[in-house]
Amino acid sequence: MSSNPQYLSGNEIRNIFLDFFAQRKHQILPSASLVPEDPTVLLTIAGMLPFKPIFLGQRTPEFKRATTSQKCIRTNDIENVGRTKRHHTFFEMLGNFSFGDYFKEQAIAWGWEISTQVFGFSPQNLVVSVFEDDDEAFGIWRDQIGVPIARIKRLGEDDNFWVSGPTGPCGPCSEIYYDFHPERGDENIDLEDDSRFIEFYNLVFMQYNRDASGNLTPLQNKNIDTGMGLERMAQILQKVPNNYETDLIFPIIQTAAQIAGVDYHKSDEKTKVSLKVIGDHVRSVVHMIADEIRASNVGRGYVLRRLIRRVVRHGRLIGISGEFTTQVAETAIALSESAYPNVRQREAAIKAELQREESNFLTTLDRGEKLLDIIIQTKTVDLPANSSPKVLPSPIDAEASAQYREMKNKNKSPGLSLINPEDAYRITGDEAFTLYDTYGFPLELTQEIAEEHGLKVDVEGFSAEMEKQRTRAKEAHETIDLTVQGSLDKLAENIQATEFLGYTQPAATAKVEAILVEGVSQEEAEAGTQVQIVLDKTPFYAESGGQIGDRGYISGDGILVRVEDMKKESDFFIHFGRIERGTLRVGDHVTAQIDPACRRRAQANHTATHLLQAALKKIVDDGISQAGSLVSFDRLRFDFNCPRALTAEEVQQIEEQVNTWIAEAHAAKVEVLPLAEAKARGAVAMFGEKYGEEVRVIDFPSVSMELCGGTHVSNTAEIGVFKIISEAGVASGVRRIEAVSGPAILDYLNLRDKVVKDLSDRFKVKPEELPDRITSLQSELRTSQKELETLKVQLAIAKSDSLLQTAQTVGDYKIIVAQLEDVDPESLKTAAERLLQKIGNGAVVLGSVPEPGKVSIVAAFSQEVNKKGLQAGKFVGAIAKICGGGGGGRPNLAQAGGRDASKLPEALEQAQSELKSALG
C-alpha cells in the first residue's frame, strides 16, 4: 500500500480499508441489506445497525473482530442533499468493530495509522475531538500518538457521546477531522467550520449501560464501533470541492447532464443542485430496488417512491422532458457492481421498476400542470397594460377541475371563493404546497409559470407548509434505538428467553417471569387490569411472518387472564391481555392454553397462503415473489410483485388449482434444515425475513416448499375449501389477493347470503334475477340523468332567448347583462355562448344563483371586444369580487364564482356600467 497515494478511486479506498483491518485479524463481512433486521427502523441507517443484537448481548458474535463496508440510507435531511458539500441519502460507511476484544488504545492507534501511514494524511492536516470528560482518550492521543494539545478538542455530550436511546449501551466517542487549511494556525479552532474541517472517522467507545434514571454502569464487555465515510474520504483524497464530484457519484451526474444537454461545470448553482440530487438519489434507488424494495405509498416503499419522484422532478428542472432514469441507473449500476454484484444481477428489475414509476409520475406531473392552469384561471390580477399573458388551454380540463375542487375543499375554501382577499392576486402557500407534495410540481416551476401571468407565489406560506411536513417527518423519523422496550431490556438481565412449545402443544404449564402494566414492570396486577405477561414457556404463537398472534387463556389458582394478542420482542413472547379474575403475581405457576378454534382457522389460512403462492407461480409467472401477507382468523391477504392485473380466467384457474391441491390431501412435511441445504432443495424464502443458520421448512411435496415459522395444517385436506374474494393493485407493480379458507368460508357465505336476501326483498326479485334488475336500474338512472341535463340546458336557452330583446347597442357593439334564475354554471356558460353567437359583435355577461350561498357569473366577449382591450377572464374575475369571490379564464370566455348572492345585482350593474364605458 502506498504511503502517499496521489489518487485513490472510491473502490480502492474501500478495499484498502477492509484489507488493513483484515490483516489485523478482522473478519471481512459483506454489507447487510438495506432492509434491516431491526423492526424499529425502516432502512439500514448506520454501519453498526446489523450488529445491534451483539451490542445488546442478545447474540454471541462468531468473530471478536469484524470490518465492513455497509451501505446506508438516511432521509431525515433530504432537503440538504445537493445543497451542502456532503449530505446524502445513500452513503457507504466503512467500519471496524470489536466485540469485547480490543478497546480505546488499539482503536485510536489503528485509526491514526490508517489515516497517516496508509492514506497518507499529514499529521498537520488532522485534528481530533474527544468527549469532554474522557481523560483516557485525551491522554492516548497526546502521549501515545503525539497529537499536539492544541489540536485535541474536548466537546460536549451532544457532539462526542454516543447513545443508542434513552437507555442501553452508550459511551464517549472520538472523531478525526481533516483540516483543509492548517496554515490558519491552531488558535481558535472551530470544528463547526465546514469550509475548513471535515470529520471523516468516528471512533465510538461503547463502555457503559445507561438505566432509566440516567445512571451509567460499566459494561462487562466493552465494544468498539467505528465509522469512516467513504464519500468523504474520496472527496479528500481525490482533491475535489465536494463529495458529489468524486468518482463515486460524478459519472452519474455527467450522464444526467449529457441527457439534459448541459455542462455541469458551466452551469448555474440551481442546475448543479439538481444534478447533485439526481446523482445521489439514483444511487439510493438502485440499491433499494436491488435489495427488493418496491415502490409503494407506505414504509420503505414510500421512501423509494419519493426518491424516484425527486429524481424525475429535478430532471424536469434542468430541461429533461422525457424518461431518463434507466439511463442514469445504468451508470450507477456500472459504478457499484464490483462491490455489490446484486445490482447487476437485479438490473432488469431495477430498470423495470424505475421505468414504471417514472412513467406514472410523469402522468402525475402532467396533471399538476393542468391543475396549475386551473389555479391561475381562478386568480384576478390587474396585469400591467403592456403585459401579454399566456393563453391557457381551452376548454378547462375536467379532471383538473375536479382536482381543484378537491384541493379547495381540503383547504376549507368554499368553491372558487377566496377567504383571504390577497389570495386573489397570488398562488397561495397551500396551493403551491399541494402542487409540490401531491403532484411533484417544483416550487421554482410554479413561480416561473405564475410570473408569466403576473402572479406571485406565497413563498412564506409554502415554507410554513413545508415546515409542518418536516415536523411530521421528524416526529416519525427513524432512529437507532437499541432498546426494544425499556422495561424488558432491564428485565433481560434476570430472565431467560421464552421457550416456544406451540408447534406441538396447545397448552403448557409455565411460570410468570414478568408483568408489565402500560409498559412498566410490576410485581402483581389485579382483576380488570390490561397487562403484558412474559412466561418462561408458551404455546402461544406470536405475531410473525404475516400470521397474527394466538388468542386464549392463562389460568391458575383463582386466576384467569384472557389473552387477546401475542407479540415477540427480541427473544421474549409477550402475552397481551386482561385479567378477568384474581391477582396475578410474578413467580406464579399457571397454565397457558390457546384457543384451538382460532388456531385451526389461522393454520388453514396460512397453509392456503403457501398454496396460493405456488399456484401464482405455476399459472401466472414463476418469477412472482411475495411482497407481504396477512394471515388472520377470518381471512388471508397475499401481496405479490406483478406488473399487471390478473385476468378473470387466471383468478379462476388459481382458485381451482388451490382447491385441487386441497382435495388431493397432501401431507405436510416439516423439517429443520441448514439454510444452505433448504435453499438448495428449492425452498422459497420471503425477502426481508431474516433467517438463522438453521431454518424451519414447510413442505407439501410436489406442491409447495417454503421457509416459514408459522403454524400450518398437517394435511391440505384440513383446509376444506378456498375462495378468492378479490384481486387488485395496491401499489405500482404490487397486486393483492384476498381470500378465505377453512371454517372462515362459512362466515363469508353467511354474510353473502344475508346481503343477497336483503337485496332480493328490496327489489322483489329472485336472487338469480338481481344482476339484470340492477343493470336495468342503472340504465334507467343514466337515461334520467341525461334527460335532466338536456332539460336544464333547454331551460337556460329558453330563458336566455328572451334576453335578446334586452340587448343594448353601445357604439358598434351590442351588450347583454342579465341574471337568470336557478341556472347551473355549465348551462349558464352554454347560454352565454349562444347569446353571443346571435348578437355577433359584442359582450354577454350572465349571472345566476344555482344554489344557496353560491354565485356563478359568465362573460363571453367577441374578438372585436378583445381588441378594445377587454378580456373576459380579467373582467369577470373583477366583477365576481363584489360577490366575495373570484375567477378567470380565456380572453373570449370566462367563468367566476362567489358566495354573496345578495350582491349579484350590484355586480351585474357594475359589469354593465364598465362595458358601456369601455365600448362607448
Side-chain angles (χ1 to χ4, degrees):
M1 288 180 288
S2 171
S3 61
N4 185 26
Q6 295 299 309
Y7 176 92
L8 290 176
S9 69
N11 286 336
E12 288 172 329
I13 296 169
R14 184 192 301 112
N15 292 334
I16 288 171
F17 182 94
L18 296 175
D19 289 345
F20 177 87
F21 285 101
Q23 292 173 14
R24 287 151 183 80
K25 300 181 180 179
H26 289 66
Q27 179 68 32
I28 299 178
L29 299 177
S31 172
S33 167
L34 287 171
V35 179
E37 183 177 350
D38 184 348
T40 67
V41 291
L42 281 178
L43 295 158
T44 300
I45 57 175
M48 53 69 58
L49 192 63
F51 302 112
K52 166 184 170 177
I54 296 175
F55 291 138
L56 277 174
Q58 298 169 347
R59 183 188 301 166
T60 302
E62 297 179 50
F63 312 99
K64 286 291 187 180
R65 302 176 181 183
T67 183
T68 64
S69 178
Q70 176 63 49
K71 52 190 177 184
C72 306
I73 286 187
R74 293 183 190 173
T75 58
N76 54 312
D77 289 324
I78 195 169
E79 296 301 330
N80 289 325
V81 172
R83 301 183 185 279
T84 69
K85 294 180 179 181
R86 44 188 169 270
H87 269 97
H88 299 290
T89 55
F90 178 89
F91 59 95
E92 290 184 64
M93 191 59 70
L94 306 171
N96 56 287
F97 304 90
S98 166
F99 310 117
D101 190 7
Y102 63 85
F103 199 50
K104 286 184 189 178
E105 186 173 341
Q106 192 62 73
I108 290 173
W110 281 336
W112 188 258
E113 181 183 353
I114 195 172
S115 299
T116 57
Q117 296 181 37
V118 177
F119 289 120
F121 294 156
S122 168
Q124 284 71 41
N125 286 97
L126 301 181
V127 176
V128 298
S129 68
V130 297
F131 178 53
E132 56 191 356
D133 295 336
D134 193 355
D135 294 332
E136 180 184 5
F138 187 95
I140 295 171
W141 283 115
R142 179 192 60 199
D143 302 331
Q144 297 184 33
I145 305 302
V147 178
I149 293 176
R151 297 184 78 80
I152 307 174
K153 310 304 293 182
R154 292 183 184 265
L155 299 178
E157 187 168 345
D158 289 345
D159 296 299
N160 277 60
F161 195 89
W162 184 86
V163 295
S164 60
T167 62
C170 57
C173 56
S174 183
E175 297 167 329
I176 308 178
Y177 291 76
Y178 188 84
D179 182 358
F180 291 100
H181 300 285
E183 72 279 359
R184 296 180 185 174
D186 296 345
E187 293 185 12
N188 302 317
I189 284 179
D190 179 11
L191 294 177
E192 294 294 318
D193 179 4
D194 61 4
S195 67
R196 178 177 175 182
F197 299 102
I198 180 173
E199 175 220 330
F200 66 88
Y201 205 2
N202 185 16
L203 315 176
V204 176
F205 312 126
M206 206 178 298
Q207 63 187 91
Y208 299 113
N209 183 67
R210 175 180 279 172
D211 63 23
S213 302
N215 299 315
L216 298 178
T217 305
L219 290 172
Q220 183 175 356
N221 291 319
K222 298 177 181 179
N223 304 310
I224 288 292
D225 157 29
T226 79
M228 174 184 281
L230 177 61
E231 291 78 11
R232 298 186 179 198
M233 286 295 289
Q235 179 198 335
I236 299 168
L237 290 166
Q238 295 173 17
K239 294 180 171 57
V240 292
N242 56 68
N243 292 3
Y244 297 94
E245 295 183 37
T246 67
D247 72 330
L248 294 166
I249 305 175
F250 196 62
I252 306 172
I253 290 174
Q254 286 179 308
T255 301
Q258 185 177 6
I259 296 170
V262 299
D263 185 322
Y264 171 84
H265 293 293
K266 295 179 180 178
S267 296
D268 58 25
E269 193 56 34
K270 286 174 63 176
T271 301
K272 284 184 176 179
V273 167
S274 289
L275 286 167
K276 290 175 185 175
V277 169
I278 292 170
D280 169 85
H281 287 10
V282 167
R283 293 176 84 207
S284 293
V285 301
V286 161
H287 284 280
M288 291 175 77
I289 300 170
D291 280 351
E292 299 197 31
I293 298 171
R294 302 295 292 264
S296 69
N297 289 327
V298 294
R300 57 183 68 96
Y302 172 73
V303 176
L304 174 61
R305 174 163 289 165
R306 184 185 181 197
L307 291 172
I308 294 173
R309 290 186 168 191
R310 281 175 61 88
V311 171
V312 177
R313 278 208 316 265
H314 282 277
R316 277 284 186 99
L317 283 176
I318 59 174
I320 301 175
S321 57
E323 296 182 14
F324 72 101
T325 57
T326 56
Q327 292 174 260
V328 286
E330 171 56 41
T331 303
I333 291 169
L335 289 173
S336 301
E337 63 180 322
S338 62
Y340 304 103
N342 70 321
V343 295
R344 182 62 74 187
Q345 294 162 5
R346 294 269 298 160
E347 178 181 4
I350 291 168
K351 290 182 176 179
E353 183 79 353
L354 283 172
Q355 194 279 328
R356 182 166 50 247
E357 281 294 304
E358 181 176 18
S359 176
N360 290 342
F361 185 51
L362 285 173
T363 302
T364 302
L365 272 176
D366 183 58
R367 291 202 300 267
E369 289 172 341
K370 291 175 180 176
L371 177 58
L372 180 56
D373 282 345
I374 295 290
I375 292 171
I376 289 172
Q377 290 184 29
T378 64
K379 306 300 174 178
T380 57
V381 182
D382 294 321
L383 296 175
N386 61 354
S387 65
S388 300
K390 174 184 172 183
V391 177
L392 294 170
S394 174
I396 294 172
D397 185 84
E399 183 183 358
S401 296
Q403 293 163 358
Y404 176 78
R405 287 193 296 272
E406 182 182 347
M407 179 183 70
K408 300 309 287 185
N409 289 334
K410 180 180 177 183
N411 294 321
K412 297 181 172 61
S413 184
L416 296 175
S417 59
L418 301 162
I419 294 173
N420 184 348
E422 289 185 8
D423 290 349
Y425 299 91
R426 66 181 180 181
I427 293 177
T428 65
D430 56 41
E431 289 169 339
F433 182 74
T434 298
L435 285 163
Y436 169 83
D437 192 49
T438 305
Y439 300 97
F441 221 65
L443 175 64
E444 297 87 346
L445 196 53
T446 300
Q447 288 176 301
E448 182 181 321
I449 296 173
E451 193 173 334
E452 292 177 12
H453 296 273
L455 286 167
K456 298 291 184 183
V457 177
D458 178 12
V459 178
E460 231 176 85
F462 175 86
S463 299
E465 294 296 324
M466 282 292 292
E467 190 56 40
K468 289 178 188 175
Q469 187 193 60
R470 286 194 191 98
T471 301
R472 291 191 294 268
K474 194 172 183 181
E475 288 170 354
H477 168 54
E478 64 271 3
T479 58
I480 306 175
D481 185 358
L482 296 190
T483 60
V484 180
Q485 269 188 314
S487 299
L488 279 177
D489 217 24
K490 190 173 181 181
L491 289 167
E493 301 173 6
N494 302 311
I495 62 177
Q496 299 297 315
T498 309
E499 181 184 358
F500 176 61
L501 307 171
Y503 291 137
T504 57
Q505 297 179 219
T509 301
K511 176 184 175 184
V512 178
E513 295 280 10
I515 302 172
L516 289 85
V517 178
E518 295 182 354
V520 178
S521 177
Q522 305 286 348
E523 286 298 311
E524 62 180 46
E526 299 178 345
T529 307
Q530 292 289 140
V531 291
Q532 299 168 30
I533 303 167
V534 179
L535 305 176
D536 64 338
K537 60 189 73 169
T538 184
F540 284 82
Y541 181 83
E543 181 179 328
S544 176
Q547 180 177 333
I548 66 173
D550 277 328
R551 294 175 184 170
Y553 295 92
I554 295 173
S555 59
D557 187 13
I559 301 166
L560 182 64
V561 181
R562 181 190 298 273
V563 178
E564 299 160 343
D565 198 6
M566 285 292 300
K567 305 283 185 186
K568 187 180 179 184
E569 300 286 0
S570 298
D571 294 323
F572 301 107
F573 285 64
I574 306 171
H575 306 69
F576 289 76
R578 178 184 175 87
I579 301 178
E580 302 277 330
R581 185 173 66 243
T583 299
L584 184 70
R585 296 178 176 85
V586 173
D588 282 351
H589 289 274
V590 295
T591 298
Q593 168 73 58
I594 65 169
D595 182 328
C598 287
R599 171 66 76 83
R600 282 195 296 272
R601 284 170 169 254
Q603 287 178 165
N605 281 334
H606 204 153
T607 301
T609 304
H610 284 210
L611 301 184
L612 172 59
Q613 179 167 215
L616 281 164
K617 286 177 173 290
K618 178 180 179 180
I619 293 165
V620 181
D621 185 349
D622 187 55
I624 279 177
S625 61
Q626 184 175 343
S629 68
L630 170 68
V631 176
S632 65
F633 306 127
D634 60 345
R635 65 192 173 97
L636 64 93
R637 186 180 73 212
F638 186 76
D639 295 347
F640 55 99
N641 297 315
C642 185
R644 63 172 178 85
L646 304 189
T647 65
E649 292 76 16
E650 286 173 328
V651 172
Q652 184 176 350
Q653 288 173 24
I654 290 165
E655 186 177 285
E656 290 173 352
Q657 179 63 77
V658 172
N659 281 307
T660 297
W661 284 331
I662 291 171
E664 288 172 350
H666 294 272
K669 182 180 180 183
V670 182
E671 292 182 276
V672 177
L673 299 173
L675 178 59
E677 182 181 344
K679 288 185 175 180
R681 289 192 190 182
V684 176
M686 168 60 179
F687 184 82
E689 289 289 318
K690 303 299 177 181
Y691 301 102
E693 292 184 2
E694 292 193 329
V695 291
R696 185 167 178 261
V697 179
I698 308 297
D699 185 13
F700 293 92
S702 303
V703 176
S704 163
M705 181 165 59
E706 294 191 31
L707 308 184
C708 183
T711 62
H712 289 269
V713 298
S714 58
N715 189 294
T716 59
E718 295 174 32
I719 299 174
V721 67
F722 170 83
K723 178 66 181 174
I724 293 177
I725 299 172
S726 66
E727 189 276 338
V730 292
S732 178
V734 179
R735 309 294 298 177
R736 170 174 292 173
I737 285 179
E738 295 199 54
V740 289
S741 71
I745 286 282
L746 185 58
D747 297 337
Y748 172 73
L749 292 177
N750 285 337
L751 177 61
R752 282 296 185 92
D753 187 52
K754 182 180 178 182
V755 171
V756 170
K757 284 181 179 178
D758 183 48
L759 290 173
S760 296
D761 291 343
R762 290 190 185 194
F763 293 125
K764 302 188 185 320
V765 296
K766 295 177 182 179
E768 59 270 22
E769 296 172 350
L770 276 172
D772 290 339
R773 179 61 177 144
I774 292 171
T775 301
S776 174
L777 286 172
Q778 288 174 326
S779 178
E780 290 173 16
L781 180 59
R782 283 194 295 268
T783 301
S784 297
Q785 287 174 332
K786 288 179 181 178
E787 290 175 352
L788 180 60
E789 292 299 323
T790 302
L791 287 172
K792 282 182 178 180
V793 173
Q794 290 174 350
L795 180 60
I797 290 172
K799 288 181 178 180
S800 65
D801 281 349
S802 65
L803 297 176
L804 286 170
Q805 300 175 1
T806 67
Q808 300 180 44
T809 301
V810 181
D812 297 330
Y813 309 93
K814 286 187 176 181
I815 66 170
I816 296 176
V817 179
Q819 179 173 344
L820 294 178
E821 298 299 329
D822 304 322
V823 177
D824 66 274
E826 278 302 310
S827 299
L828 193 68
K829 187 171 70 171
T830 300
E833 288 179 299
R834 178 183 172 88
L835 283 172
L836 181 62
Q837 187 178 21
K838 288 195 172 187
I839 66 173
N841 180 27
V844 177
V845 178
L846 300 180
S848 182
V849 182
E851 59 185 72
K854 187 172 182 180
V855 175
S856 181
I857 304 173
V858 175
F861 292 175
S862 66
Q863 289 185 358
E864 290 77 6
V865 171
N866 290 156
K867 291 175 183 177
K868 291 285 286 184
L870 291 179
Q871 294 185 355
K874 291 173 59 181
F875 184 89
V876 76
I879 295 301
K881 286 169 64 178
I882 298 172
C883 298
R890 305 193 309 276
N892 63 318
L893 181 65
Q895 197 159 9
R899 293 168 296 174
D900 190 348
S902 68
K903 295 293 182 66
L904 179 57
E906 180 185 339
L908 293 176
E909 186 178 338
Q910 179 70 22
Q912 186 166 357
S913 175
E914 290 188 13
L915 286 174
K916 286 182 177 180
S917 175
L919 300 177

